[in-house]
Structure formats: structure tokens, C-alpha cells
Amino acid sequence: MLAWPRSQQESEWCRNFLAFRGGPIVEEGAHFLIWTRNSAPIWVVSFYLWSGKTAHFAGASIKANFFPRSFSRAIFTYAFQVKRLEFLFSGGNSLNPASLRMQQYLGFRQLWAGPGLHSNGGDMILTGMARADCKWLSKEKQSNVLPFPEAPTGS
């Protein structure tokens, strides 16, 4: 089930969870979406580093699972239809192939690789996805998208 933080404390939990699972240090102003099962968080994704019509995307799970299709649709509906972004970028460590497979499954494409630039000597892999290339968007009108709050954060 789709959820988002309802308080600053819940946003902090999302921020700490991403960092704990090896993700980036997510800055203030991030928007989080959460996928739950039996009221327990399974996935957390964030959008941050907002610049014009772009944002950084990061995600982490309790265990290495692929995104449920309905969560994938919700993530990109939020990014591209609700927030009206045109491009998402993400990064990964070549030493974490599960993360890179997840990004590829979602539709991110490799843009650049920096040998040895990630933690533990891994290569920094930068990926991106343009709105026009997103396979998860509904072809329905904007008025038919999920009812997201203006900013699903606790801030």
C-alpha cells in the first residue's frame, strides 16, 4: 500500500533508513514515498536535489525485492505527472549489482561511469530517465492520477 510521511519524525525515519541501507545522505526538502505491507514499510524512495524540472531519485528496501508494479506506477506518476518533472537521475555502486538491476528494471539507463569513484573502490554509475521514456506512466489524463498530497513529507 502506498503511504508517505505524515510528520517530521516519519521523514527522519525515511532519511535514516535510506542511509542505513547504503543509500545517499538525503537532504532536507526531500519527498518520500513508502510502500507498506501489513502497515510495515517495505520500500522507501526519495526525490531530492531539485533543480528546475529534474530531481535525484533514490530507493531502498527492507530486503532485496523488486518494486511492486503498483508502487512503480505511483512513483513515476508522482515524479512526472504530479511534480511535472522531465528527468530523474540516480547513482549506484558497481559493487551493488542488485541496485543497478533495480534501476534498469525501472527504466533508468546508464549515462556515465566513474572508475573507482564510489565507496569501497566501486565505480560510480550515474543513470537517468526522461519522462518521455518512462514505461510506468498512465496514458490517462492528469485528473485521473492518484490523489497525492502537495508534498508527501513531514516538513
Side-chain angles (χ1 to χ4, degrees):
M1 176 180 206
L2 180 66
W4 42 81
R6 296 174 305 264
S7 68
Q8 186 62 36
Q9 182 180 5
E10 289 179 0
S11 288
E12 275 305 306
W13 183 90
C14 290
R15 190 179 321 323
N16 292 334
F17 176 74
L18 285 169
F20 174 75
R21 294 295 294 166
I25 305 302
V26 178
E27 65 180 24
E28 293 295 321
H31 293 198
F32 300 97
L33 297 178
I34 306 162
W35 189 257
T36 65
R37 186 176 301 136
N38 300 322
S39 299
I42 303 298
W43 275 99
V44 174
V45 300
S46 66
F47 302 97
Y48 64 105
L49 295 176
W50 307 91
S51 180
K53 293 186 177 192
T54 67
H56 184 272
F57 169 86
S61 68
I62 296 296
K63 53 184 170 180
N65 293 321
F66 278 103
F67 279 77
R69 288 180 184 272
S70 51
F71 190 38
S72 300
R73 284 189 292 274
I75 290 165
F76 297 109
T77 295
Y78 180 74
F80 293 127
Q81 292 180 339
V82 175
K83 297 309 289 180
R84 292 182 164 73
L85 296 173
E86 291 295 328
F87 192 80
L88 292 173
F89 61 95
S90 192
N93 187 334
S94 63
L95 300 177
N96 185 350
S99 172
L100 297 174
R101 279 192 308 274
M102 180 268 303
Q103 289 181 34
Q104 184 179 20
Y105 166 78
L106 291 173
F108 285 84
R109 296 173 195 226
Q110 183 172 325
L111 304 173
W112 180 80
L117 295 179
H118 210 296
S119 56
N120 299 322
D123 299 345
M124 170 63 79
I125 309 296
L126 295 180
T127 62
M129 180 195 305
R131 175 190 178 117
D133 298 330
C134 183
K135 64 185 179 182
W136 301 102
L137 290 181
S138 169
K139 304 303 179 202
E140 298 176 25
K141 293 182 180 178
Q142 171 70 26
S143 61
N144 294 331
V145 299
L146 297 170
F148 289 100
E150 183 58 30
T153 69
S155 51

